[in-house]
Amino acid sequence: MKLKRFALALAGVGMLAATAAAVPATAAVRSDPAPAIAHPAESNLKTTPNTKLASGGCLQDVGFNTPTPGINDVLITPAKPPRGEWYAPFKFVGTRLNTTWYGVQTDAHFYYHSLFVQGGTLYRGVTYFDTEYARPTYARIGSGWTSFTQLVTSNYAITSPNRSYLYGLSTNGSLYRYAASGATFRALGHFAGFKGFKAMTVVAENPYYDTLLMTTKAGALWTVRIPTAASTKPILKLVRSSGFAAYESLAARGCGDRGGSLVTGFDNETDSAYQYAMSKFNGSATAVTSYGRVTGGTIPGTGIFPITGHWNQLVGE
């Protein structure tokens, strides 16, 4: 049964200059707006911390940038083949890389926060969906991000101390880690040995480590556990040796109460997405079920990213 959505579509937001922050922008919403980013009731958005999603009715909300420029999303129902529901895009600034969109519902506001790169500059975006005028806002963080081909964020919000890490895959073959520090990010060093890697997403986040799911250019699928201890090296485990070379980006979503994940890969050459169900990650012992190509439309962008709640923690490894 088709889900009802209540989020607003945006229109008329201007371009963001690559070298300076833009002031908050507003755009009028049509009297009969087409839905866009998922409403909290449909995206398992939580206003209080939780460590797992409901075991039944798993859905994956995947966002993507559009060439207009804009942002759109597709709600994917797992099946063979998976069923996608595409919604109207809203205008956003042009982006080269996008991290997870985290939704927050308060008494006063419903908004998503994220990071994105335009050219070589990193920005923070906060998009409000709670008034007659949908309102994306942008804040410049800093330059120096030209060499990065992938950016992902982890967000541990269950217990103190909370933490937010940013991981970047660089063309120099290293994986960099940064910690949120006020309105900017503090470098925590880098790990060499990732020259052959291509796409990545976060599948686990807890007080002790983050786990990234990464593909190689040759098509292998790996988990990369990165302990929070500053001097500890990543632990890599091979999940599959081939079959994942086509994907330029990945998006993961926790599913069920046993640590399973829904993972969607995006193929830029065909503007298509493919979904997989994966058990709790355990190297080559991980169960991987291919659901196939997402039906219902195409993705006219260059990458995908997860859409989730701020307090929805990933427990995939």
Side-chain angles (χ1 to χ4, degrees):
M1 181 177 68
K2 186 174 181 179
L3 297 176
K4 295 181 180 178
R5 287 194 170 188
F6 305 97
L8 301 176
L10 307 184
V13 180
M15 287 289 291
L16 175 64
T19 57
V23 297
T26 61
V29 179
R30 296 177 302 191
S31 59
D32 182 20
I37 297 291
H39 185 272
E42 297 170 15
S43 59
N44 290 314
L45 192 74
K46 301 295 181 182
T47 56
T48 56
N50 75 301
T51 56
K52 62 186 180 182
L53 298 177
S55 59
C58 290
L59 299 171
Q60 186 178 17
D61 199 8
V62 173
F64 57 95
N65 62 325
T66 69
T68 45
I71 294 292
N72 199 356
D73 68 319
V74 52
L75 193 67
I76 306 171
T77 300
K80 287 190 174 182
R83 301 187 301 274
E85 293 183 81
W86 269 255
Y87 296 92
F90 56 86
K91 289 191 176 180
F92 200 74
V93 298
T95 62
R96 185 171 65 83
L97 299 171
N98 295 276
T99 68
T100 297
W101 281 47
Y102 297 102
V104 178
Q105 177 79 69
T106 68
D107 290 340
H109 296 291
F110 166 38
Y111 63 90
Y112 284 87
H113 63 90
S114 66
L115 301 171
F116 65 88
V117 171
Q118 187 179 69
T121 304
L122 181 68
Y123 293 86
R124 187 186 313 277
V126 178
T127 301
Y128 295 89
F129 289 86
D130 54 9
T131 68
E132 181 182 358
Y133 297 97
R135 183 166 59 95
T137 66
Y138 318 100
R140 184 179 186 272
I141 295 176
S143 58
W145 301 85
T146 304
S147 70
F148 289 97
T149 60
Q150 297 277 308
L151 285 182
V152 298
T153 47
S154 71
N155 177 58
Y156 183 72
I158 295 295
T159 60
S160 295
N162 300 158
R163 62 169 179 80
S164 179
Y165 285 166
L166 172 64
Y167 296 92
L169 183 63
S170 174
T171 53
N172 67 11
S174 292
L175 181 67
Y176 289 77
R177 178 168 60 176
Y178 302 84
S181 179
T184 186
F185 285 85
R186 175 171 51 91
L188 296 180
H190 65 277
F191 310 102
F194 288 86
K195 187 70 173 179
F197 285 80
K198 182 179 180 183
M200 64 184 190
T201 190
V202 178
V203 293
E205 48 201 1
N206 62 50
Y208 312 107
Y209 61 85
D210 289 325
T211 299
L212 310 185
L213 184 66
M214 302 184 69
T215 66
T216 68
K217 296 173 185 177
L221 187 68
W222 293 79
T223 55
V224 181
R225 178 186 289 194
I226 306 174
T228 54
S231 61
T232 309
K233 295 182 179 180
I235 302 168
L236 279 70
K237 291 184 179 180
L238 180 66
V239 178
R240 293 293 186 272
S241 60
S242 63
F244 296 87
Y247 303 132
E248 278 72 36
S249 54
L250 301 173
R253 174 82 172 186
C255 183
D257 56 8
R258 297 183 180 180
S261 300
L262 293 174
V263 177
T264 295
F266 172 63
D267 182 354
N268 189 34
E269 292 186 0
T270 58
D271 289 342
S272 59
Y274 295 78
Q275 190 180 61
Y276 301 82
M278 302 188 184
S279 67
K280 197 174 185 73
F281 288 99
N282 183 26
S284 60
T286 305
V288 177
T289 301
S290 174
Y291 288 155
R293 182 171 179 167
V294 178
T295 60
T298 59
I299 296 177
T302 58
I304 61 174
F305 53 87
I307 298 174
T308 188
H310 179 84
W311 288 281
N312 286 344
Q313 305 293 248
L314 294 165
V315 294
E317 190 197 41

